[in-house]
């Protein structure tokens, strides 16, 4: 993976930037930033089959070599496919990968450790490892086990190193005691270093298809900043980006402070891609872009579709009060019962080209699955 910041039009905010990510495995495709990585649930894009998703992406970037990156949650892979099933599949098909198992070979995989479907993390951590509440019960995974799964089984194109997500859960307007924060800082740096060293071992062995790493940081105060270990600060062969852990990002100005700290550590910010998880509302995304964030994930497109809504926010927002702009329309509303216009007249997606607001209103109110599918697309 390579990331390059591209020249951009003059802006009032120097933090905003556009860039391009390239992968050796996908030489004929480019991935422009800022970009949204598409959320998956247990290996599939919600409401859309693999074939329909291919068609949707093809229509979205018609005549272009642009594509998208898929987000895969680490905990999902523990249960579907289970580790046992995936192990058997890989033993029988040594040349195949998780992508082949899921029939999603056309897209790069981005493996994250936070499940963005929930407002707070489901994982807990201490010095011994990180815990997850799975369907089969609570399971513990050490940093060594995480590296084994990531490098030997899942083999994503990009992954976020294991880090402490638990203390960043906001409870009673607090983000944890200083003792919890120190433990989190120590654990995150220890686990991050384990991931870096394991990856370097594979590089030294000249293995191919090694996942690229994004290092996770958080910021509480000048003394409580968890950043890249000094020995790896300028090693962009091992660390390709920075993850701002959203569970701790109550104030987006912390992004700016973290970047300033990285600059003080003499890290080359032009070579690092910046990722934030869970900030997926259009206005939140714009705020993050203004602070130089390159990659986002989230479930906003799927959540509003499951609520029977279509995303209709304007590209030009009023300066006086952008929060008052109507971002969605509710297709369950009876006002759309006899509305035979498309959702958006200028949109060229399958839904807008072939179906009307009235038809989608009918599907939603008769509880037809097709309504969710069309709105998601």
């Amino acid at each position: 993976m390579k990331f390059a910041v591209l020249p951009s039009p003059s802006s009032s905010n120097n933090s905003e930037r556009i860039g391009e990510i390239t992968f050796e495995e996908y030489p004929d495709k480019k991935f422009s930033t800022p970009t949204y990585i598409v959320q998956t649930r247990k290996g599939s894009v919600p409401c859309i089959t693999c074939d329909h998703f291919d068609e949707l992406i093809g229509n979205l970037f018609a005549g272009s070599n642009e594509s998208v990156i898929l987000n895969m949650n680490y905990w999902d892979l523990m249960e579907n496919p289970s580790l046992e099933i995936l192990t058997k599949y890989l033993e029988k098909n040594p040349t195949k990968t998780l992508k082949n198992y899921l029939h999603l070979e056309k897209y790069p995989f981005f493996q994250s450790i936070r499940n963005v479907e929930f407002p707070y993390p489901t994982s807990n951590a201490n010095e011994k490892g990180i815990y997850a509440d799975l369907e089969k019960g609570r399971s513990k995974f050490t940093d060594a086990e995480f590296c084994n799964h990531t490098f030997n089984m899942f083999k994503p194109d990009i992954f976020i190193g294991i880090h402490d997500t638990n203390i960043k859960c906001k409870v009673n307007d607090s983000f944890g005691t200083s003792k919890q924060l120190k433990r989190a800082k120590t654990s995150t740096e220890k686990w991050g270093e384990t991931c870096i060293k394991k990856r370097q071992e594979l590089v030294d062995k000249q293995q191919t298809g090694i996942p690229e790493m994004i290092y996770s940081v958080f910021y509480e105060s000048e003394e409580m900043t968890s950043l890249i270990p000094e020995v790896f600060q300028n090693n962009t062969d091992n660390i390709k980006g920075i993850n701002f852990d959203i569970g701790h990002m109550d104030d987006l100005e912390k992004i700016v402070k973290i970047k300033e700290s990285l600059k003080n550590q003499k890290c080359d910010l032009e070579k690092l891609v910046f990722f934030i998880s869970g900030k997926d509302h259009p206005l939140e995304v714009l705020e993050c872009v203004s602070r130089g964030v390159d990659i986002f994930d989230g479930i906003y497109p799927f959540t509003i579709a499951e609520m029977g809504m279509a995303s209709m926010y304007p590209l030009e927002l009023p300066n006086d009060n952008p929060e008052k702009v109507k971002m969605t329309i509710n297709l369950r509303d009876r006002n759309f019962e006899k509305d035979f216009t498309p959702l958006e007249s200028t949109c060229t997606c399958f839904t807008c080209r072939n179906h009307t607001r009235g038809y989608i209103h009918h599907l939603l109110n008769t509880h037809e699955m097709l309504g969710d599918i069309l709105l998601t697309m």
Side-chain angles (χ1 to χ4, degrees), residues 25 36 56 145 148 160 162 172 221 230 335:
E25 190 176 345
Y36 165 72
L56 177 65
E145 289 173 318
N148 179 51
I160 296 176
I162 184 172
N172 298 326
S221 66
E230 184 176 356
N335 290 331

Side-chain angles (χ1 to χ4, degrees), residues 204-240:
D204 294 340
K205 293 178 182 178
Q206 298 183 336
Q207 289 195 15
T208 58
I210 304 172
E212 302 287 5
M213 179 176 174
I214 289 185
Y215 191 88
S216 185
V217 303
F218 65 91
Y219 188 101
E220 177 59 25
S221 66
E222 295 296 337
E223 296 77 25
M224 287 304 306
T225 305
S226 174
L227 293 174
I228 300 174
E230 184 176 356
V231 66
F232 298 112
Q233 284 172 16
N234 293 313
N235 187 352
T236 52
D237 289 334
N238 249 325
I239 296 177
K240 293 293 185 178

Side-chain angles (χ1 to χ4, degrees), residues 253-315:
E253 285 305 314
K254 289 182 178 179
I255 296 175
V256 178
K257 293 177 180 178
I258 289 175
K259 292 175 73 174
E260 289 175 354
S261 296
L262 288 168
K263 191 178 293 185
N264 291 336
Q265 286 189 326
K266 299 182 179 178
C267 296
D268 189 349
L269 303 189
E270 294 286 304
K271 295 181 179 179
L272 294 173
V273 62
F274 294 106
F275 168 76
I276 196 166
S277 174
K279 290 292 185 184
D280 56 359
H281 187 278
L283 294 180
E284 291 179 329
V285 168
L286 290 176
E287 284 189 35
C288 292
V289 168
S290 70
R291 291 166 174 80
V293 177
D294 305 297
I295 304 179
F296 312 83
D297 71 357
I299 57 171
Y300 180 82
F302 310 113
T303 301
I304 62 169
E306 290 169 353
M307 294 171 64
M309 296 183 178
S311 178
M312 301 294 289
Y313 57 89
L315 295 181

Side-chain angles (χ1 to χ4, degrees), residues 36 38 61 82 111 126 141 144 149 160 175-176 191 193 208 225 238 246 261 279 282 285 290 293 314 321 325-326:
Y36 165 72
V38 180
F61 299 118
S82 69
Q111 179 186 296
N126 59 29
F141 298 96
H149 296 152
I160 296 176
F175 279 89
W191 297 337
E193 193 164 340
T208 58
T225 305
N238 249 325
I246 191 57
S261 296
K279 290 292 185 184
V285 168
S290 70
V293 177
N321 198 352
V325 174
K326 193 173 183 179

Side-chain angles (χ1 to χ4, degrees), residues 104-351:
L104 292 169
E105 302 94 333
K106 297 181 181 179
Y107 308 99
F109 269 14
F110 185 110
Q111 179 186 296
S112 63
I113 199 171
R114 180 179 292 284
N115 190 336
V116 295
E117 293 216 40
F118 301 97
Y120 300 125
T122 56
S123 56
N124 300 283
N126 59 29
E127 293 85 350
K128 297 180 181 179
I130 191 163
Y131 294 79
D133 296 319
L134 308 179
E135 293 177 6
K136 62 182 180 182
R138 174 163 288 191
S139 300
K140 184 189 82 171
F141 298 96
T142 64
D143 49 353
E145 289 173 318
F146 174 86
C147 288
N148 179 51
H149 296 152
T150 301
F151 292 114
N152 300 326
M153 294 187 66
F154 305 147
K155 295 183 179 180
D157 296 274
I158 316 172
F159 76 99
I160 296 176
I162 184 172
H163 60 280
D164 189 334
T165 64
N166 184 48
I167 56 88
K168 307 174 189 70
C169 176
K170 187 174 183 180
V171 179
N172 298 326
D173 293 322
S174 172
F175 279 89
T177 65
S178 60
K179 183 177 180 180
Q180 288 174 310
L181 290 165
K182 287 180 180 179
R183 185 196 69 198
K185 178 179 183 293
T186 302
S187 298
T188 297
E189 290 180 342
K190 170 182 171 289
W191 297 337
E193 193 164 340
T194 299
C195 293
I196 293 171
K197 288 180 178 178
K198 178 61 178 177
R199 190 184 182 283
Q200 187 61 50
E201 288 177 11
L202 300 178
V203 171
D204 294 340
K205 293 178 182 178
Q206 298 183 336
Q207 289 195 15
T208 58
I210 304 172
E212 302 287 5
M213 179 176 174
I214 289 185
Y215 191 88
S216 185
V217 303
F218 65 91
Y219 188 101
E220 177 59 25
S221 66
E222 295 296 337
E223 296 77 25
M224 287 304 306
T225 305
S226 174
L227 293 174
I228 300 174
E230 184 176 356
V231 66
F232 298 112
Q233 284 172 16
N234 293 313
N235 187 352
T236 52
D237 289 334
N238 249 325
I239 296 177
K240 293 293 185 178
I242 299 295
N243 167 45
F244 304 120
D245 195 284
I246 191 57
H248 198 57
M249 203 59 64
D250 55 318
D251 180 5
L252 290 179
E253 285 305 314
K254 289 182 178 179
I255 296 175
V256 178
K257 293 177 180 178
I258 289 175
K259 292 175 73 174
E260 289 175 354
S261 296
L262 288 168
K263 191 178 293 185
N264 291 336
Q265 286 189 326
K266 299 182 179 178
C267 296
D268 189 349
L269 303 189
E270 294 286 304
K271 295 181 179 179
L272 294 173
V273 62
F274 294 106
F275 168 76
I276 196 166
S277 174
K279 290 292 185 184
D280 56 359
H281 187 278
L283 294 180
E284 291 179 329
V285 168
L286 290 176
E287 284 189 35
C288 292
V289 168
S290 70
R291 291 166 174 80
V293 177
D294 305 297
I295 304 179
F296 312 83
D297 71 357
I299 57 171
Y300 180 82
F302 310 113
T303 301
I304 62 169
E306 290 169 353
M307 294 171 64
M309 296 183 178
S311 178
M312 301 294 289
Y313 57 89
L315 295 181
E316 297 294 333
L317 298 174
N319 294 325
D320 53 350
N321 198 352
E323 288 79 9
K324 292 294 183 181
V325 174
K326 193 173 183 179
M327 294 286 176
T328 58
I329 59 172
N330 185 0
L331 272 300
R332 297 186 190 275
D333 194 316
R334 289 196 65 181
N335 290 331
F336 297 108
E337 188 174 9
K338 296 182 180 180
D339 189 337
F340 300 114
T341 61
L343 286 177
E344 172 54 57
S345 59
T346 60
C347 181
T348 59
C349 79
F350 176 85
T351 302

